[in-house]
């Protein structure tokens, strides 16, 4: 499937590939989020920054927020057969 306009993206919490100004990332729509509805998967960082969900003292997890709205999306590919 080719890139689709963001207004056609699923808004049911399903992970998809998102294209935004900060790059291409996996993310999902989170309806309960009041400010940044699109959430982006981030790499783990060993230095806490205080800006992400579920932060602990030694790791920042992957539910990153960006003041960014994706412009396009596409579904994740099917996983390979094991």
């Amino acid at each position: 499937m080719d890139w689709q306009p963001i207004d056609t993206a699923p808004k049911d919490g399903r992970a998809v590939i998102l294209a935004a100004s900060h790059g291409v990332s996996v993310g999902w729509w989170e309806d309960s989020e009041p400010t940044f509805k699109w959430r982006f998967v981030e790499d783990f960082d060993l230095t806490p920054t205080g800006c992400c969900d579920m932060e602990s003292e030694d790791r920042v997890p992957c539910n990153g927020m960006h003041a960014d709205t994706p412009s396009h999306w596409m579904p994740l590919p099917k996983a390979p057969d094991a």
Side-chain angles (χ1 to χ4, degrees), residues 15-39:
V16 296
I17 301 171
L18 297 168
S21 64
H22 70 273
V24 175
S25 183
V26 172
W28 65 96
W29 178 266
E30 192 167 303
D31 203 40
S32 64
E33 174 58 42
T35 306
F36 304 115
K37 300 259 185 209
W38 284 108
R39 309 292 288 191

Side-chain angles (χ1 to χ4, degrees), residues 41-74:
V41 173
E42 301 287 358
D43 292 332
F44 279 101
D45 184 349
L46 296 178
T47 307
T49 62
C51 68
C52 298
D53 294 343
M54 303 180 312
E55 184 179 13
S56 71
E57 291 183 11
D58 55 357
R59 292 186 73 94
V60 175
C62 63
N63 297 345
M65 296 185 299
H66 286 279
D68 199 351
T69 299
S71 61
H72 291 80
W73 77 282
M74 69 171 53

